[in-house]
Amino acid sequence: MGGNPLKLGVLVSGRGSNLQAIIDAIERGNLEAQVAVVISDKEDAFALERARKHGIEALFIDPKAYSSREEHEKVIGDELEKRGVGLICLAGYMRILSEYFVDRFRWRIINIHPALLPSFPGLHGQKQALDYGVKISGCTVHFVDEKTDHGPIIIQAAVPVLEDDNEDTLAARILEYEHKIYPRAIQLFAQGRLEIEGRRVKVRRAPAHTWAVVNPPLEG
Ligand code: GRF
C-alpha cells in the first residue's frame, strides 16, 4: 500500500503470544502496521523479551510508582502519543482501564478475549465455557469501552469444545485462533474498513460466508 504504516502500541502483562502473532504477521507482510512500542505493567513479562528480540522498544511502567490508576495510565498514554501510536492493542494486559484512558483514546483501543462474548467475560473465559458446558466457544476481538470485555465486536472465531477437553487443551485450541483473528482485526482497522454503528462494527468489503460450526457434528 505504501504510505506510513499504522503505528501500534501493545499493552501486555505476560507471555505475549498474541504480541508474537502480531509481530510475525507484520514480518510476513500480512499486516501493514508497525509495533512502535510494547508497554508492560510487569517487569518480568516475557512479552518484553519478545519485543526486544525483534528490535521493538519495550517499556516497563510500574503501576506501584504512581499514586492512582489514572496517573499510571497518563504516563502510558503520553508514551504512546509520543510515538504517534494510532491503535492500542491490549494483549493479555491484566489491568482494567479507567474511563479517563478509554475516553482519551476513544475507539482506538482493541482487546482480545478468549471466549465468544458476551459469554464468559472476565478472567478464565476458557474455564467458564468448560464449566458451563457449551459445545462451542472461541475468541473475540472488540473495541474497548468503559465496561470490561464489552465494546463493539470486530471479529470472532468459533472453536469446538471437545469431549475430553480440560482448561489447558481448550485454551490451546482457542489460542491458535486468537493468533489468527488478532492480526486480521488490526489489518481491517489499518485499512480503514471498520465502521462503528452503535454496538455493531460494519466491516467493509468482507466476503460473506454462510456455513456454521456444528458440534458435535451432524453426522457420524
Ligand atoms: C489470551 O488468552 C488473551 O485472549 C487474553 O489473555 C491471554 C494473553 O495471552 N486476553 P498472551 O500473553 O498473548 O500469550
Side-chain angles (χ1 to χ4, degrees):
M1 277 248 293
N4 290 332
L6 174 72
K7 288 188 179 165
L8 308 176
V10 185
L11 303 193
V12 298
S13 300
R15 80 190 152 176
S17 71
N18 278 287
L19 167 69
Q20 190 68 54
I22 294 166
I23 293 172
D24 292 346
I26 293 170
E27 290 186 353
R28 280 198 302 265
N30 293 336
L31 174 52
E32 296 147 64
Q34 173 197 336
V35 181
V37 64
V38 172
I39 299 178
S40 175
D41 64 330
K42 296 260 167 51
E43 193 165 19
D44 60 356
F46 185 58
L48 290 173
E49 273 183 51
R50 292 186 195 260
R52 291 183 185 123
K53 216 173 124 191
H54 290 264
I56 295 165
E57 191 178 11
L59 308 178
F60 161 55
I61 302 181
D62 188 355
K64 292 193 206 84
Y66 304 94
S67 57
S68 70
R69 179 163 62 155
E70 279 80 358
E71 270 185 58
H72 178 234
E73 290 176 349
K74 184 178 181 313
V75 174
I76 293 174
D78 291 348
E79 295 296 340
L80 294 165
E81 260 176 10
K82 248 191 256 173
R83 291 164 181 80
V85 163
L87 181 68
I88 300 164
C89 303
L90 308 183
Y93 187 64
M94 297 306 285
R95 276 170 197 278
I96 293 176
L97 296 169
S98 71
E99 286 185 17
Y100 151 73
F101 193 86
V102 171
D103 200 44
R104 179 169 169 184
F105 297 100
R106 177 69 61 189
W107 306 140
R108 286 192 290 142
I109 312 171
I110 62 176
N111 179 48
I112 184 147
H113 182 74
L116 285 179
L117 291 173
S119 294
F120 317 127
L123 291 176
H124 310 297
Q126 306 95 329
K127 182 169 189 303
Q128 290 185 57
L130 211 52
D131 291 349
Y132 195 92
V134 294
K135 297 297 187 196
I136 297 171
S137 190
C139 43
T140 304
V141 179
H142 64 94
F143 284 104
V144 170
D145 68 6
E146 281 78 2
K147 295 185 197 154
T148 305
D149 300 326
H150 173 270
I153 291 169
I154 299 167
I155 185 169
Q156 295 185 300
V159 176
V161 179
L162 303 186
E163 289 302 317
D164 45 11
D165 264 338
N166 57 44
E167 190 182 349
D168 291 341
T169 57
L170 178 59
R173 190 172 313 110
I174 291 173
L175 192 65
E176 198 184 319
Y177 282 87
E178 293 187 37
H179 296 164
K180 296 181 199 293
I181 68 171
Y182 213 179
R184 171 71 170 156
I186 297 166
Q187 174 71 345
L188 292 170
F189 182 95
Q191 292 174 329
R193 292 169 64 184
L194 304 180
E195 195 180 319
I196 302 172
E197 281 183 12
R199 275 220 52 88
R200 296 186 72 175
V201 178
K202 286 208 165 164
V203 183
R204 293 202 197 92
R205 301 184 310 280
H209 72 67
T210 53
W211 49 268
V213 179
V214 180
N215 183 48
L218 292 172
E219 283 161 22

